[in-house]
């Protein structure tokens, strides 16, 4: 079995977003817009943190999946391809995290 990828999930989300299917949670989120999708992303982030600090590995896996899904929905609604995020991560791998963070503060 081939390994499932975030790029595949991004493609599925895009297809469902524009499917017009009234039973699709993805289509509903896209229709409700960035505010609702971002709210859901925040909720999933909190639930992921709770699972992590609670040392609940099963919940951490489940909540992480929800978090990644909602993150990709937010990116999709915002028109930001996953490849842009991956390129940004790639540029950061050649330097220390401390130096990278300092460079972002200099830009802000």
């Amino acid at each position: 079995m081939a390994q499932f990828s975030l790029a595949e999930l991004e493609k599925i989300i895009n297809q469902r977003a524009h499917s017009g299917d009234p039973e699709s949670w993805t289509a509903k989120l896209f229709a409700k817009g960035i505010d609702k999708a971002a709210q859901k992303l925040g909720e999933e982030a909190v639930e992921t943190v709770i699972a992590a600090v609670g040392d609940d590995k099963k919940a951490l896996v489940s909540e992480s999946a929800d978090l990644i899904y909602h993150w990709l929905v937010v990116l999709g609604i915002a028109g930001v391809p996953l490849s842009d995020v991956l390129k940004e991560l790639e540029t950061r791998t050649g330097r220390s995290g401390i130096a990278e963070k300092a460079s972002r503060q200099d830009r802000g």
Side-chain angles (χ1 to χ4, degrees):
M1 179 169 89
Q3 188 170 352
F4 187 69
S5 71
L6 291 180
E8 289 175 74
L9 181 56
E10 179 184 45
K11 182 186 272 187
I12 291 167
I13 287 169
N14 188 47
Q15 290 168 347
R16 291 183 182 170
H18 302 96
S19 69
D21 181 356
E23 298 301 313
S24 168
W25 174 243
T26 304
K28 287 180 183 184
L29 275 176
F30 267 74
K32 290 181 179 185
I34 194 73
D35 289 348
K36 181 62 175 178
Q39 176 190 350
K40 289 300 297 175
L41 176 62
E43 290 170 7
E44 297 303 341
V46 169
E47 291 169 5
T48 302
V49 169
I50 291 168
V53 298
D55 197 27
D56 185 342
K57 290 181 182 14
K58 184 176 179 181
L60 181 56
V61 168
S62 178
E63 296 302 342
S64 294
D66 290 346
L67 177 62
I68 290 169
Y69 162 80
H70 285 90
W71 170 63
L72 287 173
V73 167
V74 167
L75 289 179
I77 292 171
V80 176
L82 174 61
S83 61
D84 285 0
V85 177
L86 296 176
K87 285 176 195 169
E88 176 64 21
L89 286 170
E90 185 177 24
T91 67
R92 295 179 184 190
T93 61
R95 57 187 155 165
S96 80
I98 294 169
E100 190 282 323
K101 186 172 181 178
S103 75
R104 283 189 283 145
Q105 290 173 343
D106 291 343
R107 291 185 285 193

